[in-house]
Structure formats: C-alpha cells, structure tokens
Amino acid sequence: MSAEHEALDYKPLYARIRDRLVGRLVDGQWTPGMLIPSEMELARQLGVSQGTVRKALDVMASENLLVRRQGRGTYVAVPEEGPQQFKFFRLLPDDGSRVLPESEVVRRRSAKASAMEAKMLKVPPDSQLWTVERVRFLGDEPLLVETIILPAARFPGFDEVNDLPNNIYGLYAERWGVTISAASEKLKAVAAEKNDAELLGCALGDPLIQIERIGYDLENTPSEIRVSRCNTRNAHYVSVVR
C-alpha cells in the first residue's frame, strides 16, 4: 500500500465527511448563502453519527466555508462577507476600524498570459487572461491600486459583466462557482511609479507595500492573481498567527 493510500486510510472519519461536504460546494450542490440540511439529516444521508457531522461542520465553519446562525441553522458562507471578510484583506486603518475599502475600476483588458502568469495560474502559455485594475478607497482617501488577473477559460463571460461589485469574490462564487478558499502572499517594499502616484495621490518614489497574492479555489487550483500596491500612510498590514 502506498504512503498516500495509508494516509487516506488513517484520515479521521469527520475529516473524510468534511471532504465529502466540500465536494458539494465544488460541484455546486451548495451555493453561497444557501441554508444547508440539518446535522440530523446530513447524518442520515451520509450514514454516520450526528456528532461526526457536527465535527465536520465545525471544521468547515472554522475555514470560513460555512456560517452558523444561532436558532436559524448553518449557511454556505458568501465570500468576503461577514466575519470572514478580513481573511484575505489585511490592510486596516491606523485607528483600528475594520472596514473593507470601496472600489473604483480604472481599466479592463484582455491579453495573452506571460510565461510567469501562465506558471502562477497553471494554464497553457499564451492563454487568454482578463485583467482589471481598480483603486480601493477608505472614505475619500485612495488606499491601494489593485490589479486582478483571471484565466478567461475559468471565467467565461467576465468581460460582459459591466458593473463589477466591490465584493468580487462573491461574484466568482455566485456566477462561476469558484470559491476562493486559500491564498499565498508575497510582500515587498517598492517605490511609487507614475501610475501609482497618479491614482494614489502620492509622490513619485514614495514607499509602498506591494502584495502579490495567488488565490486558490476549493480544489486548490490557482484561480486568481492579485497585485496590490498600497500606500500605508494611514493604514497598516495585519497578520494573525495562531
């Protein structure tokens, strides 16, 4: 027996049930905002104890895939809403308030993937990509310039969406069934270039933080590149280590 098969055999039952339930998110049986069946009903469907189902749901809630609402049931989480909205957005105002910045789209275009983009998204070279550049504001103050890059094959018709919402992860989930559940980030100090200075209202050469993120879906497929160039004059980056 291979080491991989041995690891699967020793995976706790609740973890295997969790994986089966995540499959319902992946295949679209459970959609964002949907009320899922009760623990008792899921236990009946899956042929396991209610306690095993509860433990699996607890794990999914801790992963921000589900939201438990006292007296109302358990719902599929809507990406970037409720308590999970700061799972990926880690820039906060210096006054400590927790608000997501509003967005204004500056440019949209379609282009062929560069070698690096193709590698990051694991798509064939020269694949078509959608690119969106937007400025995000805290109040009236521009906080960051954000470039979002998506594989067109994964998001057909993205170019036909006229008004992109601030909560773009919610759009991915609702329209294409792509839930961004994990991300990797690289941070680097950079100097403001001409485009940054114009959009952020800072001086050429001012220090910025560049955050390069790859967003992964529930099957761990890289689905989005997001590069943010942030003016931290009145904000800071927060990382919680548990």
Side-chain angles (χ1 to χ4, degrees), residues 18-85:
R18 176 263 178 202
D19 291 346
R20 289 179 65 180
L21 295 178
V22 167
R24 298 188 181 189
L25 299 176
V26 172
D27 64 21
Q29 291 183 56
W30 290 357
T31 56
M34 176 181 172
L35 173 66
I36 69 170
S38 67
E39 292 176 359
M40 185 178 298
E41 173 59 20
L42 289 173
R44 185 194 66 77
Q45 292 176 9
L46 298 167
V48 297
S49 72
Q50 190 173 339
T52 298
V53 169
R54 181 178 300 120
K55 195 165 185 179
L57 296 180
D58 285 343
V59 172
M60 293 176 70
S62 72
E63 295 170 332
N64 297 311
L65 300 177
L66 300 176
V67 177
R68 291 189 180 278
R69 294 175 180 161
Q70 188 67 34
R72 296 172 58 190
T74 301
Y75 293 76
V76 179
V78 177
E80 280 194 2
E81 287 191 2
Q84 69 158 334
Q85 62 185 346

Side-chain angles (χ1 to χ4, degrees), residues 3 8 12 35 39 54 71 74 100 107 119 127 139 144 162-163 169 178 217 222:
L8 289 173
L35 173 66
E39 292 176 359
R54 181 178 300 120
T74 301
L100 280 181
R107 300 177 189 89
K119 181 179 179 181
S127 294
L144 60 92
N162 293 324
D163 297 317
Y169 280 177
V178 177
D217 69 8

Side-chain angles (χ1 to χ4, degrees), residues 164-196:
L164 294 178
N166 191 40
N167 177 8
I168 200 166
Y169 280 177
L171 175 67
Y172 299 167
E174 291 167 14
R175 181 152 179 168
W176 294 282
V178 177
T179 296
I180 302 298
S181 60
S184 62
E185 289 187 342
K186 294 193 298 186
L187 277 68
K188 185 176 184 178
V190 296
E193 299 176 357
K194 182 180 179 182
N195 187 59
D196 303 317

Side-chain angles (χ1 to χ4, degrees), residues 58-135:
D58 285 343
V59 172
M60 293 176 70
S62 72
E63 295 170 332
N64 297 311
L65 300 177
L66 300 176
V67 177
R68 291 189 180 278
R69 294 175 180 161
Q70 188 67 34
R72 296 172 58 190
T74 301
Y75 293 76
V76 179
V78 177
E80 280 194 2
E81 287 191 2
Q84 69 158 334
Q85 62 185 346
F86 294 97
K87 179 178 180 180
F88 300 117
F89 190 83
R90 300 176 183 273
L91 279 177
L92 298 180
D94 288 339
D95 64 12
S97 58
R98 297 178 71 83
V99 293
L100 280 181
E102 294 299 319
S103 305
E104 179 182 311
V105 174
V106 179
R107 300 177 189 89
R108 297 177 63 168
R109 63 186 177 90
S110 172
K112 299 293 185 181
S114 67
M116 180 59 70
E117 291 167 340
K119 181 179 179 181
M120 293 170 72
L121 290 170
K122 295 185 179 178
V123 296
D126 293 330
S127 294
Q128 185 182 15
L129 302 179
W130 309 125
T131 299
V132 176
E133 184 178 34
R134 60 183 187 171
V135 180

Side-chain angles (χ1 to χ4, degrees), residues 10-22:
Y10 284 105
K11 200 169 190 179
L13 179 58
Y14 77 85
R16 282 179 274 157
I17 294 300
R18 176 263 178 202
D19 291 346
R20 289 179 65 180
L21 295 178
V22 167

